[in-house]
Amino acid sequence: IVETPEHNHRPHEIPLLQYASALNASRMRVADLMKDRRFKYTLLHRNFGSAAGSTVYHPLQQIVAMPVTPLNVSITLDSARAHFYLKERCVFCDVIEQELDEGSRLVHVDDTYISFCPYASRFPYELNIFPRRHQHLFTDLDDKGTESLASHMLEVFRRLHTVLKG
């Protein structure tokens, strides 16, 4: 999903409604792919620039649908389920609370989302974006929720741009 027709726009320069429109297109495409019984896992991701492995210069989102759930995702979901049965609470809520209390890895926090660097990042500038209320499906967002996510992400992009000096 191309986020902007402007080839020289950096991610943080995309206007809010334009970025929300791109996220909305991705949301609808993911929802459509989830209806296909051949696919067990769908991943929406974005990268920008050759340093991030992108082969296309302008900002875009990529969707990958696979017939199997990756092992690391299965392990994460199984661990979350075990945590819930053991502690009777959501592990992701615990992570959010811990990150808010500790504060050193926070990138951006607003009323709807929290972004932070994971404790043990797998690669430079890895970020986690969590909703601050239970919502496990990206496809369940409405237009207002998509715009809120777009706003949050654009602020994260601005902060990354500032840290990386362009």
Side-chain angles (χ1 to χ4, degrees):
I1 306 288
V2 176
E3 296 172 341
T4 176
E6 304 296 328
H7 289 276
N8 58 352
H9 268 179
R10 316 267 304 164
H12 70 283
E13 298 171 329
I14 301 170
L16 174 60
L17 293 180
Q18 186 174 358
Y19 191 68
S21 179
L23 273 180
N24 221 14
S26 292
R27 180 175 57 90
M28 289 187 295
R29 182 65 183 128
V30 167
D32 187 56
L33 288 166
M34 288 173 63
K35 294 176 189 172
D36 190 325
R37 298 178 72 192
R38 295 174 298 165
F39 301 127
K40 303 294 181 215
Y41 180 77
T42 306
L43 171 70
L44 169 63
H45 71 97
R46 73 171 324 279
N47 57 15
F48 178 75
S50 58
S54 181
T55 56
V56 180
Y57 182 71
H58 58 271
L60 58 88
Q61 299 165 30
Q62 297 176 349
I63 301 170
V64 178
M66 298 184 287
V68 297
T69 302
L71 183 59
N72 64 328
V73 174
S74 290
I75 290 170
T76 298
L77 293 173
D78 290 344
S79 297
R81 188 176 300 110
H83 179 90
F84 183 80
Y85 287 127
L86 181 66
K87 306 268 185 163
E88 296 183 357
R89 62 182 191 260
C90 171
V91 68
F92 303 110
C93 290
D94 286 354
V95 168
I96 289 169
E97 185 177 329
Q98 181 178 343
E99 292 299 334
L100 288 169
D101 287 346
E102 204 277 319
S104 68
R105 291 179 293 277
L106 294 176
V107 174
H108 180 51
V109 178
D110 62 27
D111 291 340
T112 314
Y113 294 96
I114 175 174
S115 293
F116 59 92
C117 299
Y119 176 73
S121 296
R122 295 167 294 172
F123 45 86
Y125 306 103
E126 178 180 4
L127 293 170
N128 287 331
I129 300 175
F130 281 41
R132 295 193 63 187
R133 66 175 180 85
H134 287 279
Q135 181 162 2
H136 68 282
L137 286 175
F138 172 61
T139 54
D140 284 349
L141 287 176
D142 58 13
D143 289 343
K144 182 179 177 189
T146 303
E147 188 173 324
S148 178
L149 177 58
S151 177
H152 184 91
M153 291 178 70
L154 288 171
E155 179 58 28
V156 168
F157 298 155
R158 282 184 205 91
R159 291 174 186 218
L160 281 171
H161 178 76
T162 300
V163 168
L164 297 172
K165 308 288 189 251

